[in-house]
């Protein structure tokens, strides 16, 4: 497989000097009606003008001579090259590509919507020009393929796979690094350098999004309840210990159980508690 080859062009300013000299000789030759001087000078001037080349910063030129690859120029400035060379212009600037939202299945088979943002630039002009048919279209297709593979390698979250160490929705750095490695490997054949690759959009597909949201809400409620009960038990334990230490009142087991039950209802209830005031004795 061939790779990029740099060529050293002739300075364009030297070519401008040659063009100026041949222009003066052409005018002089035809002025004195001497075609022996004027005609060759004019042909040399046209040949020199055809070879002039201007390359802007972060641009490059790929050159062919009758279908054979000659080399590439990545320098910027004014140059002169063989006028018979065929020139192909390539941009070396960094470019963004945002893929469309595609529906894929994660590792657990759940349908999700995902898109990626890719920052890339041309690194090897030979591969970008001759190893693939259209490198921009190649980038789009291979990026989509890499995204599908990535989504199938990890679960969306820990609800479906509690033992998973990496998930799409939580471990963004690990997922983005895996995506960058996958895209880089696929785009090497096209001479493309991947500067950055990251997930731009991630969500459950609409047909399961509502169910997944309810599941997440239920899990959040259970976790919150667990914290509330844990705190309530600590408060009840502290209250009973404080009453016993200060010898304010003595409880038998039945009354202690009733007090614990009442305190737990008050502390763990969803709605505001409305107490019933006992104006008689404890037994009435």
């Amino acid at each position: 497989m061939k790779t990029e080859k740099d060529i050293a062009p002739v300075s364009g300013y030297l070519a401008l000097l040659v063009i100026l000299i041949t222009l003066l000789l052409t005018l002089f030759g035809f002025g004195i009606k001497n075609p022996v001087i004027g005609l060759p000078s004019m042909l040399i001037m046209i040949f020199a003008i055809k070879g002039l080349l201007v390359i802007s910063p972060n641009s490059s030129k790929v050159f062919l001579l009758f279908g054979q690859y000659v080399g590439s120029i990545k320098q910027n400035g004014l140059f002169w090259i063989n006028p018979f060379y065929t020139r192909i212009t390539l941009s070396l600037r960094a470019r963004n590509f945002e893929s469309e939202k595609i529906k894929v299945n994660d590792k657990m088979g759940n349908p999700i919507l995902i898109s990626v943002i890719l920052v890339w630039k041309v690194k090897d002009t030979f591969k970008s020009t001759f190893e693939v048919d259209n490198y921009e279209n190649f980038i789009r297709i291979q990026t989509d393929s890499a995204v599908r593979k990535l989504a199938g390698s990890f679960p969306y979250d820990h609800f479906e796979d509690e033992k998973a160490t990496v998930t799409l929705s939580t471990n963004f750095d690990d997922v983005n690094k895996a995506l960058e490695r996958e895209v880089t490997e696929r785009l090497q054949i096209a001479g493309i350098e991947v500067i950055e690759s990251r997930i731009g959009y991630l969500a459950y597909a609409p047909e399961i999004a509502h169910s997944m949201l309810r599941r997440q809400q239920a899990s959040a409620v259970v976790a919150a309840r667990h914290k509330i009960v844990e705190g309530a038990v600590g408060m009840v334990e502290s209250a009973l210990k404080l009453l016993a230490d200060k010898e304010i009142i003595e409880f038998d087991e039945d009354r202690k159980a009733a007090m614990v039950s009442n305190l737990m209802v008050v502390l763990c209830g969803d709605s505001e508690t409305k107490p019933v005031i006992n104006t008689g004795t404890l037994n009435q």
Side-chain angles (χ1 to χ4, degrees):
M1 183 182 296
K2 292 185 178 180
T3 56
E4 181 182 83
K5 180 174 65 175
D6 293 328
I7 59 176
V10 178
S11 172
Y13 297 101
L14 180 60
L16 286 177
L17 180 60
V18 172
I19 291 171
L20 179 60
I21 294 173
T22 53
L23 175 62
L24 294 175
L25 288 175
T26 301
L27 295 175
F28 174 75
F30 286 112
I32 63 173
K33 297 181 180 181
N34 187 348
V36 176
I37 297 176
L39 188 58
S41 299
M42 184 179 67
L43 293 176
I44 294 173
M45 180 183 66
I46 295 173
F47 185 81
I49 292 174
K50 292 280 289 182
L52 281 178
L53 176 68
V54 177
I55 301 180
S56 304
N58 283 326
S59 295
S60 65
K61 295 285 185 179
V62 178
F63 300 101
L64 302 175
L65 181 60
F66 305 119
Q68 183 177 2
Y69 175 68
V70 176
S72 304
I73 299 178
K74 291 184 176 179
Q75 303 166 262
N76 63 288
L78 179 64
F79 305 104
W80 187 88
I81 53 97
N82 189 334
F84 294 105
Y85 286 170
T86 301
R87 310 171 188 183
I88 302 174
T89 303
L90 287 179
S91 173
L92 302 179
R93 298 180 179 90
R95 283 177 270 184
N96 287 320
F97 165 66
E98 184 174 3
S99 68
E100 297 180 357
K101 298 174 185 176
I102 58 175
K103 183 186 294 186
V104 295
N105 293 331
D106 69 356
K107 185 179 179 181
M108 308 307 297
N110 297 316
I112 61 175
L113 295 177
I114 187 171
S115 70
V116 298
I117 298 174
L118 182 69
V119 183
W120 61 276
K121 67 178 181 178
V122 173
K123 182 178 181 181
D124 191 310
T125 57
F126 175 84
K127 291 182 178 180
S128 297
T129 306
F130 302 111
E131 291 296 335
V132 294
D133 185 35
N134 183 321
Y135 67 88
E136 292 186 349
N137 185 56
F138 183 83
I139 290 171
R140 287 193 293 270
I141 295 175
Q142 292 301 319
T143 301
D144 285 348
S145 178
V147 171
R148 293 178 185 278
K149 181 178 179 181
L150 175 81
S153 302
F154 302 104
Y156 183 89
D157 51 32
H158 290 288
F159 288 105
E160 293 290 342
D161 188 357
E162 296 180 356
K163 297 181 180 180
T165 57
V166 178
T167 66
L168 296 173
S169 61
T170 56
N171 304 90
F172 292 110
D173 290 338
D174 294 333
V175 172
N176 289 335
K177 287 179 181 178
L179 176 63
E180 187 171 328
R181 286 194 301 269
E182 184 68 25
V183 175
T184 299
E185 182 179 347
R186 291 171 179 268
L187 298 184
Q188 281 181 348
I189 187 176
I192 302 300
E193 178 184 356
V194 177
I195 300 174
E196 184 184 9
S197 179
R198 64 183 183 275
I199 294 178
Y201 180 86
L202 179 66
Y204 280 114
E207 58 266 28
I208 67 167
H210 182 66
S211 299
M212 292 300 177
L213 178 60
R214 292 183 61 184
R215 185 185 64 175
Q216 292 174 356
Q217 290 173 340
S219 298
V221 169
V222 170
R225 286 290 183 188
H226 178 76
K227 287 292 184 182
I228 291 173
V229 172
E230 188 177 300
V233 170
M235 293 173 67
V236 170
E237 182 181 8
S238 176
L240 291 175
K241 184 176 183 303
L242 188 62
L243 289 172
D245 291 343
K246 292 190 175 184
E247 298 180 353
I248 296 176
I249 189 171
E250 292 185 3
F251 290 107
D252 56 22
E253 293 300 321
D254 291 338
R255 290 181 177 177
K256 186 182 293 185
M259 180 181 178
V260 170
S261 176
N262 292 334
L263 286 175
M264 291 297 293
V265 170
V266 171
L267 295 173
C268 298
D270 281 334
S271 58
E272 184 179 353
T273 305
K274 297 179 180 179
V276 177
I277 299 176
N278 187 357
T279 58
T281 65
L282 291 176
N283 296 323
Q284 293 180 350

